[in-house]
Amino acid sequence: NLNEKEQQDKLMVNTPDDLIGKAAPSWQLKDENGRTFNLSDFKGKNIILMFTGIGCGPCKQAIPYLNELTEKYDRNKFQIIALECWKRKATDIKRYKKHNNILFDMLADGSSVQDSYNLNGSVPHFFFINENGIITHHFNGWTNSMAEDFTKILDSLEITK
C-alpha cells in the first residue's frame, strides 16, 4: 500500500541531472585487456566519466579534445574514463583505441551501468565526478563549443601538471 508521495516518486522520470550533488553510482567493469576497474579505484581524483559507443560520430569528435585534457592535467589528480555502451567486444575496443590514438581508459560493458546513471541509451554523456565521488556536472551530447565549458570547470580544480 503506497502512500501518495511514494506513488508520485514512482511516476517521476529520473534524469541524469538529478544525480548532480549526489554520490556517483558505483560500478565494476573491465578494460580491453581484461583488467577490472571499480569507480572506487579513482577516489581522490577528479574524473570525467564518458558514456560512449564505438561508431558514435559525436563521441569520436570529442576524442582529440579529451586526449588534450589527458595530457594537460595531472594523472594523479584527474582521469577520463570512457564506458563503451554499444556492447562491443574487448578486441573492438582495443582496435578503436589504437586507430583513434585514444590516451584515456575505455572500459567494456558500459551499458550495464547506464540505468544507474538515469541514461536512456543515448551517447555521449559526460559526468564530472569530484575527488570525493560526488557528481558535479553532467553534459549530454558533444559539440566543440562544449570544450570551453569543460576547460573552465577543470581549470578551477587546480589539477594542471
Side-chain angles (χ1 to χ4, degrees):
N1 203 1
L2 297 175
N3 69 32
E4 196 172 308
K5 179 169 177 9
E6 286 173 326
Q7 284 178 336
Q8 278 182 327
D9 287 349
K10 276 188 102 167
L11 295 173
M12 301 250 326
V13 175
N14 292 323
T15 69
D17 288 347
D18 293 339
L19 295 173
I20 293 172
K22 297 187 171 111
S26 62
W27 44 261
Q28 181 179 60
L29 298 170
K30 293 183 186 303
D31 71 4
E32 72 276 13
N33 298 311
R35 288 180 305 171
T36 300
F37 290 88
N38 297 286
L39 178 60
S40 58
D41 295 341
F42 303 96
K43 198 123 178 133
K45 290 184 181 186
N46 290 277
I47 66 172
I48 294 177
L49 186 64
M50 175 190 190
F51 287 82
T52 188
I54 292 175
C56 159
C59 302
K60 190 173 179 177
Q61 283 181 326
I63 292 170
Y65 174 71
L66 297 174
N67 278 343
E68 278 178 39
L69 296 181
T70 301
E71 292 183 318
K72 177 179 179 181
Y73 296 105
D74 183 344
R75 195 165 169 96
N76 294 316
K77 298 177 185 173
F78 170 76
Q79 207 156 345
I80 296 170
I81 305 148
L83 306 184
E84 203 292 318
C85 297
W86 289 358
K87 297 188 166 81
R88 303 295 179 138
K89 296 185 198 95
T91 52
D92 297 329
I93 293 173
K94 196 178 277 193
R95 194 176 320 113
Y96 186 76
K97 278 186 74 172
K98 186 176 182 181
H99 181 74
N100 292 287
N101 298 315
I102 295 175
L103 303 177
F104 46 90
D105 293 310
M106 194 168 190
L107 307 179
D109 199 25
S111 56
S112 66
V113 179
Q114 284 182 306
D115 284 351
S116 62
Y117 282 79
N118 300 335
L119 300 177
N120 61 6
S122 68
V123 291
H125 280 268
F126 300 88
F127 289 89
F128 285 66
I129 303 171
N130 72 15
E131 67 276 6
N132 299 313
I134 304 298
I135 294 174
T136 59
H137 300 83
H138 165 254
F139 293 87
N140 178 14
W142 177 258
T143 61
N144 289 334
S145 62
M146 290 166 71
E148 196 175 311
D149 297 325
F150 281 35
T151 300
K152 269 187 200 152
I153 293 165
L154 295 172
D155 282 349
S156 72
L157 299 174
E158 298 177 20
I159 56 174
T160 310
K161 286 182 180 172

